[in-house]
Amino acid sequence: MADPAGPADLRAVEAAFRQQAEACADQGPSPLYALLMERAADDVAAGGPVARLLGDWRGHPVLDALSMRLLGAVHAEVLAGRAPELARHYRAAGEGGGVDAAVWPAFRGLVEERADVLRPRLDRQVQTNEVRRSAALLGGFLEVARSTGLPLRVLEIGSSAGLNLVWDRYAYRLGPHRWGDPSSGVRIESDWEGPPAAFDAPLEVASREGCDLSPIDLEDAEARLRLESFIWPDHPERLALMRAAIAEVRREPPTIRRARARDWLAEALAEPAPGRATVLFQSVMWWYLPESERSAVSGIVEAAGARASAAAPLAWLRKEGTRVESTDVELRRWPGGENRKLAESHWHGRWVRWLGDGRIAGMGSRPATWPRGPLA
Ligand SMILES: C[S@@+](CC[C@H](N)C(=O)[O-])C[C@H]1O[C@@H](n2cnc3c(N)ncnc32)[C@H](O)[C@@H]1O
């Protein structure tokens, strides 16, 4: 572990970049970022411009996703049109043209030239909002709608920009299944294995609301660019999907409170909501909570579950992971408190393996080491 009071150990930084290079090669995958991460690790070892840029950075290189902070900071320059040479390489990689080794000198040169612009960006957490995760969550919402027959009161913790909070306004192509408004500007395509989810269940979303420790204001062009900067440049379809979802959310934005999950939920779940099925959902946010907040959130939800009834049921839908390969989609329901694993799904929702009915014990706790998957 790095000493939180001092700069990160450069050997740990180098190892973190190599680890992320492997993850980018396996998961996603992103040959472009696999190469850049590997070269950046070499540069750190050789004391080059990346080492100089990161020399005084404080934090944990793996847990704080330093490599993704750096690559995101550089990508923001590309997206802003301030790095034309690098943009050419990124575009070619995104168009399937392969990765030209000359991308590294262009990257290195930018790090050297723009250290003053890049360095402050490294102090902010990586923050993403991955739209295709809705493909894996959809079946959970439909299952609650089907089993309760009630309109849904949708609550999300860790909403980021709220792109998954409007999941019902998107059109889905999930293997052979179709769901949603075919005229939606947001078209989510994922591979689907296993039986269908309750795609024909009648659905009404009565209300929706979310919270985030630092919600992204989509009316702020800089904030939008920052959100886009964390998408890997050789995944242009993810960027296009995100932009479509941003446009949809801006058309009719949901309310997202700036609050810790624990504090917001204490209020949001204080009273049962009769005539509604309350669905609290979350995706890829549990990692970010300290153990104390996880326990507090679990306690608040359990207590609300104990107050739930058939007229005011509660469900907790989670897409979270403790493995490199994939996340689990779990659904816990009250009254009763039964917990089911509904699916496994790619971290970014590229595929969903729908299980239907398998039962599991509960959510795993944070493992000692951070998985190497594309967590953000
Ligand atoms: C990796 S992003 C995932 C965002 C979104 N759920 C998704 O799946 O795309 C994690 C989000 O959790 C938020 N977050 C972290 N700690 C939090 C907390 N204690 N309470 C609420 N949100 C938090 C972060 O600000 C970030 O927006």
Side-chain angles (χ1 to χ4, degrees):
M1 274 299 252
D3 171 2
D9 170 359
L10 282 179
R11 277 164 314 179
V13 170
E14 180 195 341
F17 274 81
R18 294 210 194 281
Q19 183 175 315
Q20 188 62 34
E22 251 182 72
C24 289
D26 295 351
Q27 296 286 313
S30 171
L32 174 69
Y33 270 17
L35 181 136
L36 288 176
M37 296 280 181
E38 203 56 61
R39 293 286 180 281
D42 295 343
D43 184 275
V44 170
V50 177
R52 287 196 289 282
L53 182 73
L54 305 181
D56 69 342
W57 183 82
R58 286 158 193 258
H60 188 293
V62 176
L63 294 181
D64 296 325
L66 174 60
S67 57
M68 298 310 300
R69 290 185 191 207
L70 174 63
L71 282 266
V74 170
H75 193 201
E77 288 300 283
V78 172
L79 289 170
R82 293 190 288 259
E85 197 192 341
L86 204 51
R88 198 165 43 77
H89 290 293
Y90 279 18
R91 199 164 36 247
E95 286 166 357
V99 183
D100 184 340
V103 68
W104 169 248
F107 184 99
R108 186 179 187 276
L110 192 94
V111 168
E112 194 145 37
E113 265 170 39
R114 305 271 165 85
D116 54 332
V117 174
L118 299 177
R119 181 59 190 82
R121 293 185 191 157
L122 304 180
D123 292 331
R124 289 185 64 188
Q125 208 180 45
V126 171
Q127 196 176 8
T128 54
N129 203 184
E130 195 62 44
V131 185
R132 235 179 337 178
R133 291 184 183 137
S134 284
L137 293 163
L138 172 68
F141 290 116
L142 292 173
E143 181 53 32
V144 177
R146 185 198 63 77
S147 59
T148 64
L150 292 171
L152 305 188
R153 172 185 179 234
V154 174
L155 304 174
E156 183 185 19
I157 50 176
S159 304
S160 190
L163 304 186
N164 290 324
L165 198 44
V166 300
W167 52 273
D168 53 315
R169 298 189 344 217
Y170 300 158
Y172 295 81
R173 249 181 124 92
L174 306 173
H177 312 293
R178 305 284 175 273
W179 192 88
D181 174 2
S183 69
S184 171
V186 183
R187 315 182 77 75
I188 294 185
E189 292 194 20
S190 296
D191 294 335
W192 187 273
E193 262 182 51
F199 293 122
D200 53 359
L203 176 89
E204 185 193 335
V205 173
S207 65
R208 70 186 87 230
E209 215 181 326
C211 82
D212 198 285
L213 202 50
S214 70
I216 292 172
D217 175 7
L218 291 178
E219 294 312 307
D220 173 352
E222 270 299 311
R224 290 199 298 275
L225 185 121
R226 188 165 182 275
L227 188 61
E228 292 176 6
S229 75
F230 294 118
I231 292 200
W232 303 352
D234 44 357
H235 292 181
E237 72 293 346
R238 282 172 61 205
L239 184 58
L241 184 62
M242 172 177 276
R243 286 179 171 164
I246 287 173
E248 175 56 32
V249 169
R250 290 179 76 196
R251 197 178 59 75
E252 202 187 323
T255 302
I256 300 172
R257 295 265 155 76
R258 179 180 296 275
R260 282 194 179 279
R262 179 192 50 205
D263 302 336
W264 183 71
L265 278 179
E267 257 185 58
L269 295 181
E271 301 288 338
R276 305 270 185 268
T278 298
V279 189
L280 165 64
F281 83 101
Q282 64 188 66
S283 65
V284 194
M285 68 82 67
W286 203 239
W287 295 101
Y288 296 78
L289 304 193
E291 201 57 58
S292 57
E293 189 174 359
R294 288 180 176 194
S295 313
V297 167
S298 301
I300 291 165
V301 181
E302 295 269 348
R307 292 189 292 270
S309 62
L314 173 68
W316 192 8
L317 176 62
R318 294 162 294 178
K319 179 184 185 339
E320 298 286 353
T322 53
R323 296 182 304 275
V324 176
E325 307 76 37
S326 60
T327 57
D328 288 336
V329 181
E330 292 179 35
L331 181 65
R332 187 144 187 222
R333 277 183 284 194
W334 291 268
E338 178 204 78
N339 192 36
R340 280 203 294 153
K341 175 169 161 177
L342 298 179
E344 290 173 2
S345 176
H346 180 268
W347 282 90
H348 292 156
R350 280 169 164 242
W351 52 262
V352 180
R353 197 173 293 134
W354 192 255
L355 304 172
D357 213 26
R359 279 172 198 226
I360 61 163
M363 179 171 277
S365 61
R366 186 176 184 145
T369 56
W370 190 258
R372 295 170 307 133
L375 285 163

